[in-house]
Amino acid sequence: MAWGSVLLVAVAVMAGMIWLGKMPRKAWELSAAALFLGIAGYAWQGQPSLAGSPKEPVEKLGMFDEDLAKQRDEMGGNFGNARAWLVLADSQSRQGKFATAATALSKGLETFPEDADLWVALGNALVGHSNGLLTPASQFAYQKAATLAPDHPAPPFFLGLALATSGQLQQARAIWGELLERSPPDAEWREDLTTRLATIDALIAQQSGAPAPGMPGSVPTAPTAN
């Protein structure tokens, strides 16, 4: 039944090209050959009786986190003239189009190459495109942002997050620990960062088989000199 439908469609397409599309007679044989060659290929590999199973585009494997976007905005404050590029990139990231978001941010950086927030957003888009993994390109973007704005909390926060999701817990813990030390007591991100550090400590302790700091049986570490 399925193959009969395929053949009927093929005949209808051919007829449409001849009478509706006014195909020249000289092209009839070539077009028919191409059409039925395609049918032969489908007959060889196709399985019309199976249920459809559409796949998501590769770019949609990552996820856009609204809370993290808000966190970035809180850390960045006023974005100035570069704001439009961030809004555009966020709209693409919400659809899972992280590569498109990264392209838009790269365009924005051509106009605003010294904007640390754009570099942070570029790092985030590249991490999203790599499905949460830190790549050399995203690491460069975060480090560029940190160089441009050494006191900006967003570059170390998101670099630490990318390191953590990539499994590099010790490196993430070191970066976040330093960020917490220099964060103002009333910083909006301080509570979230403290929670994330506690989670990192628990994961590190679990991997090493030792209790996390603050848990029964743990040995408190001596404070380091500043």
Side-chain angles (χ1 to χ4, degrees), residues 165-184:
T165 56
S166 298
Q168 303 178 57
L169 301 181
Q170 295 286 359
Q171 295 91 323
R173 207 268 176 244
I175 290 175
W176 278 351
E178 190 276 333
L179 175 59
L180 184 64
E181 287 182 3
R182 64 181 177 89
S183 295

Side-chain angles (χ1 to χ4, degrees), residues 107-124:
K107 288 290 184 182
L109 284 166
E110 292 177 5
T111 306
F112 306 102
E114 305 299 309
D115 192 288
D117 293 309
L118 285 182
W119 283 107
V120 170
L122 177 59
N124 292 346

Side-chain angles (χ1 to χ4, degrees), residues 59 85-86 88-90 92-93 97-111 118 121-127 129:
E59 281 193 316
W85 292 105
L86 290 168
L88 174 60
D90 283 353
Q92 295 300 309
S93 295
K97 299 179 180 178
F98 294 104
T100 306
T103 299
L105 291 163
S106 297
K107 288 290 184 182
L109 284 166
E110 292 177 5
T111 306
L118 285 182
L122 177 59
N124 292 346
L126 293 171
V127 168
H129 182 56

Side-chain angles (χ1 to χ4, degrees), residues 50-68:
L50 293 180
S53 180
K55 295 187 179 296
E56 289 291 323
V58 173
E59 281 193 316
K60 289 191 176 181
L61 290 175
M63 295 178 62
F64 180 81
D65 193 313
E66 293 286 353
D67 291 336
L68 288 177

